[in-house]
Amino acid sequence: QKEVEQNSGPLSVPEGAIASLNCTYSDRVSQSFFWYRQYSGKSPELIMSIYSNGDKEDGRFTAQLNKASQYVSLLIRDSQPSDSATYLCAVNDGNNRLAFGKGNQVVVIP
Amino acid sequence: NAGVTQTPKFQVLKTGQSMTLQCAQDMNHNSMYWYRQDPGMGLRLIYYSASEGTTDKGEVPNGYNVSRLNKREFSLRLESAAPSQTSVYFCASSSGGIAEAFFGQGTRLTVV
């Protein structure tokens, strides 16, 4: 069974600091990788997608992909209270199957 | 822009009752998905449809059936609801292949 692992527990960061989230995946043929943000009681919202090795930046968010090591990470710079949410890592195997990790809760402390 | 629309938003069922969750997308997407989300379990794929006329099992298909009625609509049916099916159900759609998915607002289902 293809797995997506997000092992870190809840992450508390001071406002203005960097939040770092990690995700590993088991299927080497995975081709696309996503980070979703989910506020409590709401549906997941796409915030980043990455398809090739390296870094991709979008505003305060940076996604990093290393296919050789099978991990993808998300950095949130200058964290704001509005960033407090659960962040879900998702991996697409290229065959229309999108698998999710269990998510990491981020709490930004003012 | 409606995106992905799910109905109903909330539902309470008695054990053994049946119901169908409806999902429609207006983005001309090929692929559609049904997930369930339980506390501490993340999103688990129930069924997906890569294109109109095809459906495939996901990680947790037992107790569910699906129908890809046309390109826009993908329904999830519970034939005989059980308390273990109490969950939040999300429908999602994607243009297909390696593309990202977009989610509906969810259906909160309670089976008593």
Side-chain angles (χ1 to χ4, degrees):
Chain A
Q1 180 172 329
K2 302 171 185 177
E3 293 184 349
V4 180
E5 298 285 343
Q6 293 179 258
N7 290 326
S8 301
L11 180 64
S12 293
V13 296
E15 184 174 354
I18 295 175
S20 177
L21 302 171
N22 296 311
C23 170
T24 60
Y25 58 94
S26 62
D27 189 353
R28 283 195 168 274
V29 301
S30 299
Q31 298 189 26
S32 54
F33 309 85
F34 309 99
W35 285 98
Y36 287 81
R37 177 176 62 199
Q38 188 176 26
Y39 293 114
S40 181
K42 301 296 185 182
S43 58
E45 170 193 14
L46 179 71
I47 55 171
M48 288 291 286
S49 57
I50 187 166
Y51 300 91
S52 56
N53 283 329
D55 295 358
K56 179 182 179 182
E57 185 175 317
D58 185 359
R60 296 185 295 108
F61 298 101
T62 299
Q64 300 172 317
L65 174 62
N66 184 320
K67 289 186 178 181
S69 300
Q70 294 178 240
Y71 83 79
V72 57
S73 63
L74 179 71
L75 299 177
I76 307 173
R77 293 184 302 280
D78 188 24
S79 295
Q80 301 297 308
S82 60
D83 294 326
S84 297
T86 296
Y87 290 81
L88 301 165
C89 174
V91 176
N92 187 316
D93 65 4
N95 291 314
N96 290 296
R97 291 176 65 102
L98 189 62
F100 284 81
K102 294 182 179 180
N104 286 124
Q105 185 180 7
V106 172
V107 178
V108 180
I109 303 168
Chain B
N1 293 333
V4 180
T5 302
Q6 292 181 235
T7 55
K9 293 183 180 179
F10 301 94
Q11 184 71 48
V12 178
L13 289 178
K14 293 182 179 179
T15 298
Q17 286 185 319
S18 62
M19 80 160 295
T20 299
L21 280 64
Q22 306 286 354
C23 175
Q25 52 91 9
D26 63 2
M27 295 178 281
N28 199 34
H29 282 169
N30 293 314
S31 301
M32 297 185 74
Y33 309 84
W34 277 106
Y35 290 90
R36 61 177 288 174
Q37 187 172 39
D38 303 293
M41 299 297 292
L43 284 160
R44 293 185 290 170
L45 183 63
I46 305 171
Y47 271 94
Y48 68 103
S49 171
S51 61
E52 184 179 355
T54 68
T55 61
D56 288 283
K57 294 179 180 179
E59 183 184 354
V60 288
N62 292 342
Y64 305 96
N65 286 300
V66 290
S67 295
R68 184 74 182 267
L69 305 171
N70 47 56
K71 191 171 185 178
R72 290 187 64 250
E73 299 173 288
F74 188 38
S75 62
L76 178 71
R77 182 161 179 84
L78 287 70
E79 290 291 351
S80 179
S84 60
Q85 294 178 305
T86 294
S87 188
V88 180
Y89 291 85
F90 288 103
C91 177
S93 72
S94 164
S95 57
I98 62 173
E100 65 276 10
F102 298 91
F103 284 80
Q105 73 272 38
T107 295
R108 187 172 295 275
L109 175 66
T110 302
V111 183
V112 298

